[in-house]
Amino acid sequence: MKQMNEENSSILSTGKLTIADIAEELGVSKSTVSRAISGKGRIGKETVQRVMECIEKHNFKPNSIAKGLADSRTYNIGVAFPADTDFINTPFFQICLLGVCEVAAALDYDVVVTTVKETDINLLKRLVEHRKVDGVILTRNFTNDIAISYLKKTGIPYVLIGSSDDDTIVQIDNNNVEACEKLISLLIADDVKGIALIAGDRKHMVNRHRCEGYYNALKNNGITLEPDLVFSDCSSSVFVEQAVRNILKRKVECIVCTDDVICGKVLSILREEGYTVPGDIKVASFYDSIYMQTNNPPITAIGFNAEELGTIAGKRLIGLIEGDTNRSKTVLDYEIHLRRSTK
Amino acid sequence: MKQMNEENSSILSTGKLTIADIAEELGVSKSTVSRAISGKGRIGKETVQRVMECIEKHNFKPNSIAKGLADSRTYNIGVAFPADTDFINTPFFQICLLGVCEVAAALDYDVVVTTVKETDINLLKRLVEHRKVDGVILTRNFTNDIAISYLKKTGIPYVLIGSSDDDTIVQIDNNNVEACEKLISLLIADDVKGIALIAGDRKHMVNRHRCEGYYNALKNNGITLEPDLVFSDCSSSVFVEQAVRNILKRKVECIVCTDDVICGKVLSILREEGYTVPGDIKVASFYDSIYMQTNNPPITAIGFNAEELGTIAGKRLIGLIEGDTNRSKTVLDYEIHLRRSTK
DNA sequence: CTGAAAGCGCTTACAG
DNA sequence: CTGAAAGCGCTTACAG
């Protein structure tokens, strides 16, 4: 019986009840109801009780649009989702997004997504110019990133999932340099002799960082870099193919790929050429998507917690919006999954 | 010079200018400016001109929150993003989302995402109860879908990317039944003898539809169904493994998987067992992710245009919101990519 | 064709 | 501790 009533009032409340209705039912003013809900201003304990009960009873939800207008806030955060073709197959970003959605809801924000391309941030501009968000999360960065320049100019709070030399930017990232360095060092310690690197577009900062880790590892282990073993800017599968064919002409014992899409292509070519992994050549990758795990042999890969990146980014951004002044970088852990492909 | 001025006013305008400012500059009333912008109500052509120029000059963007409050709209559409673990690796949903974002922006809407799980739609409820969206897009459906029941009850406009028997629901989908039927029929026509099916969770309508297509194909070709060759509810990789091992004991010439994640696992087990594709056994899948394309051999797969599903869903939803009464189902094309894995 | 005014549903000084 | 009133930035009947 009770339940039925609640159900009914819940239905009615959808798009109907206002703060005035509940003020009337209680015989108090709208101001009082508002204060009870927000907890701001002096207000009697007992009054708060009564208001809260009434709200509960009717399943009343204040209209956040109106609230937003009144205090010049939207209670929305924006997420800039990469729409470039190189990223369309990487679930990394959607997992980040899940993390952001989760914290946002917990902190009473909603998340609005917009797409950005390397050279086209019109939709991002539209979003901030229409004042639909209180801040934005960038999910990757380029050398000379136009989204960053734009956001900086507008003064809107934003955070970056990624790393930048510009430390005025609030950053959340895994230590990609270190992760790659450690992976390569482990291989070297395992007496793996020639290690080639196939990296994606160098305009993506993340690829640069992984290359840097590769260089560092060689240097720290007293191995001289062979430039012929580093293939960067392999953004299309044609380039990957060229790289692999070049590598196969040399004395290489392992191919490290900066992401799983590249790695998938590499595995395919190796099979085509009749090379077995790890027998003839070892392979390792970054991101550790399900396909790397279920591949035969399973592929050694560095895994990141994309959801956590999203959660933290959301939390930090909302912090900024609400006045937090901490602008330090958050560095998250990575995991090296050593699997059969490098044994 | 001109450009610099525009840049400057653009900066200033971020979060500052209102309709009143531009009314003042022009010596007209706010009402007039509003009418010029919206194009509603009678208004002089020349006045519109002047208003538009002034708006252009200052790069003024009306505050959509205020507009929303005034006409009880948010100009936001919601997208319910699956957060269940089975889907986390499928880029399908993120590509849909890109499509939605694109139309939405074109029609002057923004898209807010929320996550839903099979048994937990609290975040969806929160979103609609807070009145942050004018409608929502569901991106998949279950048998007995609680999200659908909920939305239906609230009366908010919504569309489904997926298929349902309930034709009061506006649906946008590929014809999964037909796609699977055709794929199986092609195999049969090619004289492939035993065709096994490994399908995901039967609570997902899409998996049911693909199974249905499989049944239809057998029936239409006068082949009696062998229940032992159909493995449904293979939601975890343990089940997939069991299924494959069972299949290998039988006389099976082809394994059809209802999605690429299952297929990845199947390929791995086959390799482990020393079976070659397509020599010893053929394999086909659904979704056609990049890993299917770059696999060696490339995998025969049915591909869908996820972006287009998103675009159309967005367009239809906004139509509904704005009064469109067309509730017919939109059926999109699929592509069968016949590749080496079934040759 | 245009303007003054009321309203959308909240918040928050300002009085009391 | 509480209320009346003004304000957030728009829209839209209602007059003219």
Side-chain angles (χ1 to χ4, degrees):
Chain A
M1 236 0 193
K2 177 123 185 284
Q3 209 154 6
M4 276 206 62
N5 279 322
E6 277 173 7
E7 279 301 326
N8 282 330
S9 50
S10 146
I11 293 172
L12 290 173
S13 81
T14 300
K16 296 283 178 283
L17 279 189
T18 76
I19 211 176
D21 296 318
I22 104 108
E24 186 176 0
E25 171 154 338
L26 257 35
V28 298
S29 73
K30 293 191 302 172
S31 327
T32 301
V33 174
S34 173
R35 282 192 275 256
I37 295 173
S38 68
K40 290 181 193 161
R42 308 180 64 76
I43 185 169
K45 263 196 167 184
E46 198 208 341
T47 318
V48 173
Q49 274 271 347
R50 288 179 56 217
V51 172
M52 285 322 210
E53 271 165 18
C54 183
I55 283 177
E56 198 79 10
K57 175 175 147 204
H58 294 291
N59 191 226
F60 165 73
K61 310 272 178 181
N63 180 327
S64 53
I65 298 292
K67 176 167 162 51
L69 183 58
D71 49 36
S72 296
R73 299 269 297 277
T74 64
Y75 297 96
N76 285 151
I77 56 179
V79 173
F81 208 87
D84 318 86
T85 42
D86 6 353
F87 279 149
I88 220 151
N89 294 293
T90 315
F92 177 81
F93 298 97
Q94 82 185 8
I95 302 177
C96 276
L97 185 59
L98 294 182
V100 176
C101 285
E102 209 173 307
V103 251
L107 299 174
D108 249 299
Y109 276 73
D110 288 288
V111 2
V112 6
V113 297
T114 190
T115 59
V116 288
K117 295 184 181 154
E118 185 188 349
T119 56
D120 178 4
I121 58 164
N122 281 316
L123 265 34
L124 209 211
K125 285 186 176 171
R126 186 181 162 281
L127 189 68
V128 341
E129 286 175 352
H130 282 206
R131 307 181 190 101
K132 283 280 197 102
V133 294
D134 298 329
V136 354
I137 298 177
L138 258 22
T139 55
R140 52 89 189 261
N141 60 328
F142 291 100
T143 52
N144 272 78
D145 196 291
I146 56 175
I148 292 182
S149 321
Y150 171 70
L151 291 176
K152 193 173 259 186
K153 205 172 63 182
T154 65
I156 193 173
Y158 69 97
V159 304
L160 168 67
I161 295 182
S163 297
S164 164
D165 293 334
D166 179 347
D167 52 277
T168 64
I169 302 171
V170 174
Q171 304 165 39
I172 299 93
D173 203 5
N174 304 100
N175 192 334
N176 279 288
V177 178
E178 186 191 297
C180 190
E181 187 177 330
K182 194 165 257 167
L183 171 65
I184 304 288
S185 293
L186 284 172
L187 293 168
I188 293 174
D190 239 23
D191 213 29
V192 178
K193 288 301 184 204
I195 302 175
L197 181 71
I198 303 187
D201 191 336
R202 274 188 70 76
K203 274 175 290 180
H204 289 293
M205 287 310 289
V206 64
N207 290 330
R208 293 196 169 226
H209 294 135
R210 289 172 189 169
C211 287
E212 200 179 323
Y214 173 88
Y215 297 140
N216 291 351
L218 295 190
K219 194 196 288 177
N220 297 343
N221 288 280
I223 296 173
T224 52
L225 170 70
E226 293 183 56
D228 287 358
L229 296 187
V230 178
F231 299 82
S232 36
D233 276 323
C234 288
S235 42
S236 89
S237 71
V238 180
F239 294 144
V240 176
E241 185 153 353
Q242 277 178 12
V244 175
R245 299 209 186 285
N246 270 304
I247 287 170
L248 292 180
K249 290 183 198 147
R250 291 181 167 69
K251 271 186 56 187
V252 165
E253 291 185 18
C254 183
I255 300 179
V256 174
C257 310
T258 60
D259 67 63
D260 293 346
V261 173
I262 291 177
C263 191
K265 183 69 187 167
V266 168
L267 290 170
S268 163
I269 300 168
L270 289 177
R271 189 118 47 104
E272 201 171 310
E273 298 295 322
Y275 284 72
T276 63
V277 176
D280 299 323
I281 194 161
K282 303 179 198 301
V283 171
S285 184
F286 281 79
Y287 282 130
D288 194 32
S289 73
I290 184 92
Y291 298 99
M292 297 299 114
Q293 297 167 34
T294 64
N295 191 71
N296 188 337
I299 305 296
T300 289
I302 294 192
F304 304 108
N305 191 334
E307 184 160 0
E308 192 182 5
L309 281 170
T311 326
I312 309 244
K315 207 178 297 180
R316 297 275 324 255
L317 176 61
I318 293 173
L320 281 186
I321 292 169
E322 302 190 338
D324 187 0
T325 57
N326 170 18
R327 304 189 70 81
S328 68
K329 175 168 179 173
T330 303
V331 179
L332 298 188
D333 256 2
Y334 53 87
E335 282 189 352
I336 301 188
H337 303 282
L338 290 172
R339 303 204 180 95
R340 203 135 46 81
S341 72
T342 54
K343 292 275 162 72
Chain B
M1 237 1 189
K2 176 125 185 283
Q3 209 154 3
M4 277 205 61
N5 280 321
E6 278 174 5
E7 280 299 327
N8 284 329
S9 49
S10 145
I11 293 172
L12 291 173
S13 80
T14 301
K16 295 282 176 284
L17 279 189
T18 77
I19 211 177
D21 295 319
I22 103 108
E24 185 176 0
E25 171 154 340
L26 257 35
V28 299
S29 73
K30 294 191 301 172
S31 327
T32 300
V33 175
S34 173
R35 280 192 276 257
I37 295 173
S38 69
K40 290 181 192 161
R42 309 180 64 74
I43 185 168
K45 263 196 167 181
E46 198 210 338
T47 318
V48 173
Q49 273 270 347
R50 288 179 57 217
V51 172
M52 285 324 209
E53 271 166 18
C54 183
I55 283 177
E56 198 81 11
K57 174 176 148 206
H58 295 289
N59 190 227
F60 165 73
K61 311 274 178 181
N63 180 327
S64 53
I65 298 291
K67 176 167 161 51
L69 183 58
D71 50 36
S72 297
R73 300 268 298 277
T74 65
Y75 297 97
N76 286 150
I77 57 179
V79 172
F81 208 87
D84 318 86
T85 42
D86 6 353
F87 278 149
I88 220 150
N89 294 293
T90 315
F92 177 81
F93 298 97
Q94 83 185 7
I95 302 176
C96 275
L97 185 59
L98 293 183
V100 176
C101 286
E102 209 173 307
V103 249
L107 299 174
D108 249 299
Y109 277 73
D110 288 287
V111 3
V112 5
V113 297
T114 190
T115 59
V116 286
K117 295 184 179 153
E118 185 188 350
T119 57
D120 178 4
I121 58 163
N122 281 316
L123 265 34
L124 210 209
K125 285 186 176 170
R126 186 181 162 282
L127 189 68
V128 341
E129 287 175 352
H130 282 204
R131 306 183 192 96
K132 282 281 196 101
V133 293
D134 298 330
V136 354
I137 298 178
L138 258 23
T139 55
R140 53 89 187 264
N141 60 326
F142 292 100
T143 52
N144 272 77
D145 195 291
I146 56 174
I148 292 182
S149 321
Y150 171 70
L151 291 176
K152 193 173 260 184
K153 205 172 65 182
T154 65
I156 193 172
Y158 69 97
V159 304
L160 168 68
I161 295 182
S163 294
S164 163
D165 294 335
D166 179 347
D167 53 278
T168 64
I169 301 171
V170 174
Q171 304 164 40
I172 299 93
D173 203 5
N174 305 100
N175 192 336
N176 279 288
V177 179
E178 187 190 296
C180 190
E181 187 177 332
K182 195 165 258 166
L183 171 65
I184 303 287
S185 293
L186 284 172
L187 292 168
I188 292 173
D190 240 23
D191 214 29
V192 178
K193 288 300 188 210
I195 302 176
L197 182 70
I198 302 186
D201 191 337
R202 273 187 72 74
K203 274 174 291 179
H204 288 293
M205 288 308 290
V206 65
N207 289 330
R208 293 197 169 226
H209 294 135
R210 289 171 189 170
C211 287
E212 200 179 322
Y214 173 89
Y215 297 140
N216 291 351
L218 294 190
K219 195 197 286 179
N220 296 344
N221 288 281
I223 296 174
T224 52
L225 170 69
E226 292 182 57
D228 287 358
L229 296 187
V230 178
F231 299 82
S232 36
D233 276 324
C234 288
S235 42
S236 88
S237 71
V238 180
F239 294 143
V240 176
E241 186 154 353
Q242 277 177 12
V244 176
R245 300 211 185 282
N246 270 305
I247 287 169
L248 293 181
K249 291 182 197 148
R250 292 182 166 70
K251 273 185 55 186
V252 165
E253 290 184 20
C254 183
I255 300 178
V256 174
C257 310
T258 60
D259 66 63
D260 293 345
V261 173
I262 291 177
C263 190
K265 182 71 187 167
V266 167
L267 291 171
S268 163
I269 301 169
L270 290 177
R271 188 121 45 106
E272 201 171 309
E273 298 294 323
Y275 283 72
T276 62
V277 176
D280 299 325
I281 195 162
K282 303 179 198 300
V283 171
S285 184
F286 281 79
Y287 282 128
D288 194 31
S289 71
I290 184 95
Y291 298 99
M292 298 299 114
Q293 298 167 34
T294 64
N295 191 71
N296 187 339
I299 305 296
T300 288
I302 295 192
F304 305 107
N305 191 333
E307 183 160 2
E308 191 182 7
L309 282 170
T311 325
I312 308 243
K315 206 178 298 182
R316 295 277 323 256
L317 177 60
I318 293 172
L320 282 186
I321 292 169
E322 302 189 338
D324 186 359
T325 58
N326 171 19
R327 305 191 67 83
S328 69
K329 174 167 180 174
T330 303
V331 179
L332 298 188
D333 256 0
Y334 53 87
E335 282 188 352
I336 301 187
H337 303 281
L338 291 171
R339 303 205 180 94
R340 205 135 45 81
S341 72
T342 55
K343 290 278 162 71

